[in-house]
Amino acid sequence: MCGIFGMIGDSNTTKLLMQGLKRMEYRGYDSSGICIVDNNEFIRRRAVGELSNLEPLVVNLPNAECGIAHTRWATHGPPTEDNAHPHMSPKLDVAVVHNGIIENEVELRKELSSIDKNIIFKSDTDSEIIAHLLSNEIKNSGLDLKKSKDEEFISCWKKVIDKLEGSFALAVILKGRNDFILFARKFAPLVISHDGNKGILASDVSCIVGITDKVHYLEEGDWGLINKNGLKIFNIDGDLVEKEPKKLEWTLGDAELGGYPTFMLKEIYEQPRVVRDCLRGRLSREKIKGVSIPFNPRLLRIVGCGTAYNAGLLARYYIEQLSKIPVILDHAHEFRYGAPSGPKSLVIGISQSGETADTLAAIQAAHERGYPTLGIVNVESSTIARNVDTMIGIRAGPEIGVASTKAFTGQVLGGLLVAMKLGQDSKNFHREDLSYFDRHARMLPTSIERMLNDQNIKTKLWEAQQYFVDKNHAFFLGRNTSYPIALEGALKLKEISYIHAEGYAGGELKHGPLALVEEGTPIVVIASEGSSHKKLLGNAREVAARGAKVILITHQEDELADSHADLVIKVPRTHDLLQPLLYNIICQLLSLNIAEERGCNVDRPRNLAKSVTVE
Ligand code: M6R
């Protein structure tokens, strides 16, 4: 998604803005731009495509003290230079960068055109209108760009914000005014920071790491002005608010590769640490600690998107198995526009970023319907984390690769903690069950480490990837708790290798998908537990009989496996509830290897963004 970065008061602003844009590359973008205030003028540079196209355009820019920058992920109009931010007013006195969507753009354009029939919009974007509106407001209020005071611009800015419907994070600068930046946020993330000399605002904390370690997280509807001396934050009602800065969750190491060739690989290898951190202080032999369930629910609803949805599906199996409480799982975007009925239920929102627009809206919809909410979130300062009634932080650390890997592991563990807690509360999951689980959970990080360094597994993965590299379609099959892994495995493969991949529950094969299996179709079968495992092996036979190349991922104690696949990858045996996590890591590695062999950029897959902050 788009990224915003603005700086004031540092003589290295141009260089730092470019560094910030580089750090936000992982979010996904297709054009970029920068605008600085130099003496009495704006200097703006924009480019389509990679940041390397913008870099040569900024090398000779002066070292301004005030500027804004943007990476754009096209929504309104194609990725062209005209559509790239910053956008300017016709008089070239206002420059704006915007994340989000202005939903009443058409009405606002009409309103402006009725005032000035000759008005020309230079872009297809909804964002440009904001520069026009502010420029008009400044003119109508009779302000002088050079002489008027901050307060006067603040009141113009408020009038503009009040006209905007939709979602936005905004940073605005004015021609000849290198002494302040105006900002606002509504349903789109924005953080600001001030160290007494310089101010920073950004949609993503990755830009800020290394410059400062304290930030203010803005609330919905906050807006204001940041200048060289400090900042003024107003809430949605226009009241000045005092906020304590918070310590940044990121470190410089998080924003860098640390010797790994890609962030995706780095994050896959971080999973032993994620397991340790996520369970620390929460799991013991006797009870689940630090997980508070807002009330005693008779029904649970889980919402999430993409990988978070897949983790939610696994959580559903766990919760129903351990607590016997029924669970309904929805894509967050379906839930938000649905009309859920039935008993008052606990709504669990799962989100790595905590900023996914649909998941946030689903949480808000839950509140409106009077349902208590629980978030399973990675970024603990995020909007979702701050909006839910109670939160479980998965402690995965910043995830930069667009393909979610370590967050899935954390999300599943978060779901498992909820399931065990509900199971204990409902007396369906007993102390001895927990003690047995705890023993295995303590060994899990070591099992993952062993698996990641296992030469035999590496060789098998290499052999497996040969089945895929020249193929356009692949399938992943699972049953029961391995079905979510099949969905997640397919999602990972399609998003980074561009091979069309689908995950199915094995029982569904004969109801349609079997028609797609032909000679050489690669099919990954992910072992399940109990009686469904044999059924799944039967599915493996069915697809093999139709020429498929079957790769079976299972554990070391599975004796049936070898006769059921062209290639078997065996991982360490662990507790049934944890076993899917190991299978999933193998799927992550398989997708990564295939994507790299096909020459794809695994950290920045085409058309995708790390955090989907618009609908
Ligand atoms: O930040 P979230 O967990 O809310 O993100 C949800 C999805 O957008 C995300 O998991 C997406 O599907 C990933 N690219 C998958 O790897």
Side-chain angles (χ1 to χ4, degrees), residues 172-188:
V172 171
I173 50 176
L174 305 182
K175 182 177 149 186
R177 296 302 297 249
N178 68 353
D179 53 344
F180 65 81
I181 302 177
L182 300 164
F183 62 84
R185 79 152 283 190
K186 188 177 158 200
F187 303 131

Side-chain angles (χ1 to χ4, degrees), residues 270 273-274 277-278 352 377-378 393-399 406-408 410:
E270 278 174 345
R273 200 249 328 127
V274 173
D277 285 355
C278 186
Q352 184 284 129
V377 181
N378 190 29
I394 62 171
R395 304 173 182 160
E399 190 178 67
K406 61 177 181 172
F408 178 83

Side-chain angles (χ1 to χ4, degrees), residues 556-609:
Q556 280 154 353
E557 291 169 16
D558 181 358
E559 286 163 7
L560 282 176
D562 299 312
S563 54
H564 282 83
D566 294 281
L567 195 106
V568 181
I569 304 178
K570 288 192 177 173
V571 306
R573 182 64 170 135
T574 178
H575 193 289
D576 286 1
L577 295 169
L578 296 168
Q579 199 69 56
L581 288 176
L582 296 183
Y583 298 153
N584 186 56
I585 293 173
I586 295 295
C587 291
Q588 293 170 350
L589 289 166
L590 182 63
S591 294
L592 180 125
N593 293 355
I594 294 167
E596 288 194 327
E597 189 159 344
R598 286 164 65 97
C600 305
N601 181 335
V602 298
D603 283 343
R604 282 192 284 126
R606 70 181 178 208
N607 304 338
L608 296 181

Side-chain angles (χ1 to χ4, degrees), residues 304-309 350-356 359 384 402-405 407 411 488 491-492 495 608-612:
C305 301
T307 288
Y309 173 89
I350 306 183
S351 175
Q352 184 284 129
S353 60
E355 301 293 350
T356 296
T359 312
I384 293 178
V402 166
S404 199
T405 52
Q411 289 165 344
E488 177 59 11
L491 173 61
K492 219 77 323 171
E495 76 177 322
L608 296 181
K610 179 65 188 159
S611 140
V612 185

